[in-house]
Structure formats: C-alpha cells, structure tokens
C-alpha cells in the first residue's frame, strides 16, 4: 500500500481523527501529514486524503472517508496476499 497523506488544513473536517484511528488499527501503514496537498478546491469543501501521488479520496464526512480508506487498505492487502 502506498502512503496515505493528509492535508493539515483539512483537519477541521475530521482528517486528524481518521489519521489517529488508522494509526492505531494499522500501525505498519505509512501515513503522513502535509501542510498542503495542492487540492484546495476539494479541501475547502470536504474531508480528503491522498493515496500515493495522484489518487485523491474525498468524502462528505470523516466517517465516509474512514470507510473508504479501510476498504482501499483491505483491497490492497488482499492483492498483496494473492500476489
């Protein structure tokens, strides 16, 4: 799984709690907090995270983003096991 990056300016939408929850649940998962991800158009309106360099994941609420990220992590780990 590639690194999940969070915009520090997006913390008001709940990304900080997602970061902490995923860190507790998946301690080996690479996560980073960045000052800005360069996606201000989305960042101002909804909860976001970036996987790798280009895969932006957006959701209307932190709970939805958390669920999306967990699904992506599960799919990534399933692919790793099958490979």
């Amino acid at each position: 799984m590639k690194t999940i990056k969070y915009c520090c300016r997006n913390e008001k939408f709940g990304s900080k709690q997602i970061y902490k929850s995923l860190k507790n649940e998946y301690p080996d998962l690479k996560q980073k907090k960045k000052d800005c991800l360069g996606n201000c158009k989305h960042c101002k309106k909804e909860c976001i995270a970036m996987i790798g360099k280009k895969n932006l994941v957006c959701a209307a609420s932190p709970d939805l983003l958390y669920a999306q990220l967990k699904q992506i992590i599960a799919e990534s780990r399933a692919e790793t096991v099958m490979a």
Side-chain angles (χ1 to χ4, degrees):
M1 168 105 205
K2 295 182 180 181
T3 303
I4 299 175
K5 298 175 196 155
Y6 303 91
C7 181
C8 289
R9 299 173 187 198
N10 192 252
E11 287 182 348
K12 65 184 174 190
F13 288 105
S15 61
K16 187 174 187 176
Q17 186 59 42
I18 295 168
Y19 174 86
K20 287 181 179 180
S21 296
L22 289 177
K23 190 167 184 87
N24 288 334
E25 199 165 338
Y26 304 101
D28 59 326
L29 184 67
K30 292 181 184 178
Q31 297 188 97
K32 289 184 180 180
K33 293 180 187 177
K34 299 287 229 173
D35 185 48
C36 180
L37 294 177
N39 288 288
C40 300
K41 184 177 181 181
H42 295 285
C43 188
K44 288 191 285 186
K45 298 178 184 175
E46 54 194 349
C47 200
I48 68 165
M50 185 173 286
I51 300 173
K53 294 184 179 184
K54 295 185 178 181
N55 188 8
L56 186 66
V57 182
C58 305
S61 74
D63 293 334
L64 291 173
L65 182 63
Y66 180 71
Q68 287 179 357
L69 290 173
K70 281 192 61 145
Q71 182 178 359
I72 291 168
I73 293 165
E75 289 170 1
S76 172
R77 292 187 178 208
E79 288 175 7
T80 303
V81 170
M82 294 176 78

